[in-house]
Amino acid sequence: MTSTLTRPAHATNRKATRREYLVCPPRHFEVAYAINEWMQIDVPVDRELAMVQWENLIEIYRGLGHTVHVAEPADGLPDMVFAANCAVMVDGHVFGARFRHPERAAEAPAFRRWFADHECGVYHEPTTRNEGEGDFAPAGRYILAGTGFRTDPEAHEEAEAIFGKPVISLTLCDPAYYHLDVALFVLDDDNVAYYPAAFSQKSQRVLRTLYPNAIIVAKADAEAFGLNSISDGRNVVVAQDAIGLIEQLHENGYVPIPVDLSELRKAGGGAKCCTQEIRRGRAE
């Protein structure tokens, strides 16, 4: 599935880099509990449709030339499809997750086994609560880190010690944007897109200072999970309902690739939630 928008001439100035992703199929997906503002246990989920939508996402990644690894889902863990929350990996070091809600706690050891079985990176057990790439976004020389709902501020210090990179703490203040990855995404090493109202005033000032040319996203596009997007520096896999953001990406020289993950959105997730990036490096 590719964007129907005509690619602007200056899109050639954006450079895509090949990525390596870890994903998990929604074979056991359901909304069996409510731990965020989007989950409603009385709303039915079409698991077959969720699988079709997820498979389309994976087809997009492979069509862009990215490497995709697939972890085996476990019965009783319906949110394992949201592989981004399992860890954050930078330069071959893997900082594992420690989930806030007990409903998701068993996902962490399940994914830890995947990293061990595939000899993928040096694994670091967390001592503080954190939810992986849900709240950590490697961004060039920085790692942006969210707190306020799921990840403890102390986890930011732990990540900085593990990765040896400056960690920029950002406070989330709207429970609808419970993770950083539904309020902000990294476009490339030098820029981001974000929804200002999801952040505290102090964090908004930090973002304006660090990213004066950021794409500022409207409420309607944030609510459509437009910020739960994946960028390879040129191509951006983005929720198809985030119409305004799609146009903004186009205007800024990126190539938006709309995707429909409406079933997974019922649990508060989109493309990024489904996607853990494997960042190999010096430690391997």
Side-chain angles (χ1 to χ4, degrees):
M1 180 177 177
T2 58
S3 172
T4 57
L5 293 170
T6 302
R7 297 183 181 185
H10 60 292
T12 57
N13 296 327
R14 304 289 182 191
K15 184 178 180 181
T17 58
R18 295 284 180 90
R19 306 297 174 105
E20 192 173 353
Y21 296 138
L22 172 61
V23 299
C24 184
R27 196 172 302 139
H28 306 293
F29 177 66
E30 61 178 334
V31 180
Y33 46 78
I35 59 172
N36 65 52
E37 297 287 303
W38 306 94
M39 302 177 91
Q40 299 181 45
I41 59 175
D42 58 344
V43 174
V45 168
D46 186 334
R47 189 178 294 165
E48 290 185 7
L49 177 57
M51 181 66 78
V52 169
Q53 292 177 345
W54 180 87
E55 289 172 344
N56 180 57
L57 175 67
I58 305 314
E59 182 182 346
I60 289 171
Y61 289 157
R62 289 177 171 150
L64 291 170
H66 304 313
T67 299
V68 179
H69 304 279
V70 181
E72 186 66 21
D75 191 12
L77 296 177
D79 283 343
M80 263 190 85
V81 63
F82 301 128
N85 302 149
C86 74
V88 56
M89 183 175 185
V90 178
D91 291 336
H93 288 276
V94 183
F95 182 27
R98 184 179 172 192
F99 288 91
R100 180 163 296 277
H101 294 286
E103 291 90 344
R104 299 195 66 184
E107 294 177 40
F111 278 108
R112 180 176 65 239
R113 286 191 293 273
W114 185 92
F115 283 102
D117 291 347
H118 293 80
E119 299 181 343
C120 185
V122 176
Y123 196 93
H124 301 261
E125 284 284 358
T127 63
T128 51
R129 286 193 183 93
N130 85 84
E131 300 202 352
E133 286 195 1
D135 275 323
F136 287 103
R141 56 182 173 163
Y142 303 119
I143 297 174
L144 305 179
T147 188
F149 297 102
R150 298 294 185 85
T151 294
D152 293 339
E154 293 80 9
H156 298 181
E157 299 173 12
E158 195 171 359
E160 190 165 89
I162 290 168
F163 299 128
K165 282 190 168 190
V167 172
I168 308 299
S169 293
L170 301 168
T171 300
L172 299 161
C173 61
D174 183 335
Y177 304 97
Y178 59 96
H179 273 156
L180 183 66
D181 72 358
V182 292
L184 174 151
F185 76 96
V186 176
L187 288 159
D188 50 46
D189 285 349
D190 301 312
N191 209 5
V192 301
Y194 68 97
Y195 173 50
F199 297 92
S200 69
Q201 290 296 319
K202 180 179 178 181
S203 295
Q204 289 182 44
R205 290 194 294 271
V206 169
L207 288 168
R208 285 195 298 268
T209 299
L210 290 177
Y211 303 106
N213 299 313
I215 293 178
I216 305 301
V217 175
K219 181 179 181 180
D221 292 323
E223 290 177 342
F225 272 62
L227 288 161
N228 201 244
S229 295
I230 289 282
S231 173
D232 64 13
R234 183 172 188 265
N235 306 291
V236 181
V237 181
V238 56
Q240 67 176 16
D241 295 334
I243 303 301
L245 174 57
I246 288 171
E247 186 58 35
Q248 286 176 290
L249 291 167
H250 186 257
E251 290 170 353
N252 281 273
Y254 297 94
V255 180
I257 302 177
V259 63
D260 179 12
L261 293 172
S262 55
E263 286 305 299
L264 296 174
R265 194 191 305 177
K266 293 175 180 178
K272 175 57 200 170
C273 284
C274 292
T275 312
Q276 166 75 212
E277 185 165 351
I278 304 296
R279 301 177 183 87
R280 301 183 189 271
R282 296 186 297 273
E284 291 192 288

